[in-house]
Amino acid sequence: MPWSEALTPVRMQRVAIIAPHTALREILVLIADAGCVEIDRIDGLGHGTRGAALRLRRLRSEPTGAALSAAVPDLAVLEREGHAELLAGEAQLEERADSAVVRGATAALAGWCPADQVPRLAERFVDVGGVLVPLETPRGVDPPTLLRATGAPGRSFTSLVTAYGTVPYRDVDPSWPAGIAYVVMFGVMFGDAGHGLLLLLAAALLYRRRPRCLASLHTMWPFVAGAGIASALAGVAYGEFFGPTGVLPVLWLDPVGQPQRLLVSAVAFGGLLLALAYTAGTVNRWREGGPSTALYATSGMAGSGLFLGLVLAAAGVYLHVDAIALLGAVIATCGLGLAAIGLFVASGGGFAGTVQTGVQLFDAVVRIGSNLVSFARLAAFGLTHAALGQIVWRGTTALAHRGPGALVGAVLLFVVGNAVAFALEALVAGVQALRLEFYELFSRVFQAQGRPFRPWHVPVRHTEVSP
């Protein structure tokens, strides 16, 4: 799959379903079985007041799910034999049937379907006398959003984005970049090769659904595996293997001995991620409202220019290079001016609009600085993890040097200390990486919420219910 498709939601097609009224149930059963069509619902047409819904209410047992019979069932038999799940399925089918527009002997429904599923579904409709007609997207209506989940890692990374909100249909799908950024940030804060290997072991157990009590977390194994790989690589760079045990040499820096270098590296990495977020935000603003929206938005070109200018100005001052500082000031001023125009127009103008624009510009500048500095937490928690490992290792070696009698205590301290550091730091790193993802990055990528694609799917049973 090309990256142009992997970074966009699934293309949706507006469709009309037309069939003889006598074949409407067969069409709906096909739709429920396919599970790839979201049918438009019309409220206020007696939903929940007809046959199956009333019989379902009279049953004492609650349905654990819903199912449909391929053949037309006898509702009285279903009620008498307690088939709550089949009654629940029939009740859902009745609700969809109520939304059909009937003209004479013809019934029609409208909805949404992934474009690549339309030909296959249209062929199935022909067998029962129905047709699936592609329609143009209504003006001013955004299709529902379905993110691509290609492979196990794709499903896990998609859940990271949907936990924040629904991506608007026109926006880019940042699932893969967001997932990679998350595990890298986690690894920087959880840099220990030994602890990373433990995470890889945990990922392998989740993949095999072991232990059974954690089988529900099976879909999280790619996240855990990615975090384990990132943590192990960071541990190799830090020279950490269950603490500064000397098993690995320091290849890049010692977090405890070189905290300033780690801090500068963390903020620089955060600046790179913010630049990517501004790029994605600019693309999204262009898709949502065209070039003018992208030009003046604080999460578009204007915000990108302001961010780039401030970074260049700060770098020029830090490096004592006046040309870079001056160039940064010019770019930041241009970005600030474009943002001011966009905010002033959006506020409605006048004195109140001027005041509102000033406050929002001040907030935009302050947010850039605070968000950039916020990535210093990558260094802070990476340093904390390394410091805990050092404390445990020093205590272990101190006990071991007291003689053979203290060796058991040294081993116990090493095991328990690493277990506590692993559990505590894994929780902290996971939460902090999620916080940086949502507040510093996603807040620039997204400005609106989309509507999730909710296809109707009910499993169909092809065995007859005994009369």
Side-chain angles (χ1 to χ4, degrees):
M1 178 187 299
W3 279 105
S4 58
E5 293 185 11
L7 294 179
T8 56
V10 175
R11 189 167 71 88
M12 286 290 165
Q13 176 67 59
R14 183 70 174 170
V15 294
I17 300 121
I18 304 173
H21 188 255
T22 55
L24 181 59
R25 186 184 186 280
E26 292 180 82
I27 288 290
L28 289 172
V29 169
L30 285 177
I31 292 173
D33 188 36
C36 62
V37 178
E38 179 184 294
I39 299 175
D40 291 350
R41 304 281 300 282
I42 301 177
D43 296 326
L45 293 179
H47 293 164
T49 61
R50 295 201 295 132
L54 292 176
R55 293 178 183 276
L56 182 61
R57 292 175 187 173
R58 290 200 292 259
L59 287 180
R60 294 182 179 180
S61 60
E62 291 292 331
T64 57
L68 280 172
S69 171
V72 180
D74 188 325
L75 298 182
V77 173
L78 296 182
E79 180 184 7
R80 184 171 64 249
E81 297 188 354
H83 292 290
E85 71 286 354
L86 290 175
L87 283 175
E90 290 297 325
Q92 292 184 26
L93 187 145
E94 289 175 355
E95 291 179 2
R96 272 72 183 178
D98 282 340
S99 298
V101 176
V102 180
R103 292 292 183 271
T106 304
L109 292 161
W112 298 95
C113 179
D116 58 354
Q117 298 291 328
V118 171
R120 179 182 63 86
L121 198 59
E123 291 181 2
R124 297 185 64 184
F125 282 4
V126 171
D127 296 336
V128 294
V131 292
L132 188 68
V133 182
L135 303 175
E136 292 186 1
T137 301
R139 186 181 299 274
V141 176
D142 285 334
T145 301
L146 174 63
L147 299 184
R148 302 178 190 273
T150 54
R155 287 192 294 271
S156 297
F157 292 167
T158 296
S159 65
L160 176 66
V161 178
T162 55
Y164 180 81
T166 302
V167 176
Y169 180 74
R170 299 179 186 276
D171 286 8
V172 298
D173 175 9
S175 297
W176 275 97
I180 294 172
Y182 179 89
V183 298
V184 171
M185 289 190 292
F186 182 95
V188 171
M189 292 184 282
F190 199 68
D192 188 291
H195 292 173
L197 292 177
L198 290 179
L199 284 176
L200 286 173
L201 176 61
L205 292 175
L206 289 177
Y207 178 76
R208 297 180 61 85
R209 303 178 189 272
R210 295 288 187 273
R212 291 188 177 181
C213 60
L214 299 179
S216 60
L217 301 178
H218 167 75
T219 57
M220 297 300 296
W221 76 263
F223 258 129
V224 180
I229 293 172
S231 300
L233 293 177
V236 171
Y238 298 158
E240 297 278 331
F241 185 83
F242 294 109
T245 55
V247 174
L248 297 175
V250 177
L251 295 183
W252 179 42
L253 61 81
D254 176 10
V256 177
Q258 300 170 288
Q260 291 182 343
R261 185 179 175 187
L262 181 62
L263 177 62
V264 172
S265 301
V267 174
F269 178 64
L272 174 62
L273 292 180
L274 285 174
L276 294 176
Y278 272 115
T279 302
T282 300
V283 173
N284 286 343
R285 301 299 87 77
W286 190 296
R287 291 184 172 186
E288 293 165 359
S292 60
T293 301
L295 179 62
Y296 296 108
T298 55
S299 60
M301 295 181 186
S304 301
L306 178 59
F307 171 74
L308 177 61
L310 291 176
V311 170
L312 287 176
V317 172
Y318 179 78
L319 298 174
H320 303 288
V321 181
D322 294 339
I324 296 179
L326 180 60
L327 176 62
V330 172
I331 295 176
T333 301
C334 293
L336 196 65
L338 290 174
I341 294 174
L343 293 172
F344 183 75
V345 172
S347 67
F351 177 75
T354 303
V355 173
Q356 180 179 336
T357 299
V359 172
Q360 289 178 318
L361 286 177
F362 178 78
D363 176 70
V365 174
V366 170
R367 280 188 62 203
I368 288 177
S370 62
N371 291 161
L372 187 59
V373 173
S374 185
F375 282 92
R377 71 187 64 228
L378 296 176
F381 290 106
L383 175 60
T384 301
H385 193 192
L388 286 175
Q390 186 180 79
I391 292 172
V392 172
W393 180 242
R394 286 184 175 179
T396 300
T397 54
L399 279 177
H401 290 157
R402 292 187 178 183
L407 187 59
V408 175
V411 173
L412 184 63
L413 174 61
F414 182 78
V415 173
V416 174
N418 271 281
V420 172
F422 179 90
L424 180 63
E425 288 300 310
L427 176 63
V428 171
V431 172
Q432 293 301 325
L434 191 65
R435 184 224 177 270
L436 289 170
E437 193 94 66
F438 282 2
Y439 289 98
E440 271 65 42
L441 302 180
F442 283 177
S443 61
R444 287 169 169 79
V445 175
F446 304 118
Q447 276 194 340
Q449 289 285 319
R451 182 174 68 83
F453 176 60
R454 294 190 175 95
W456 180 48
H457 175 59
V458 179
V460 177
R461 297 180 182 177
H462 295 277
T463 56
E464 296 184 0
V465 178
S466 59

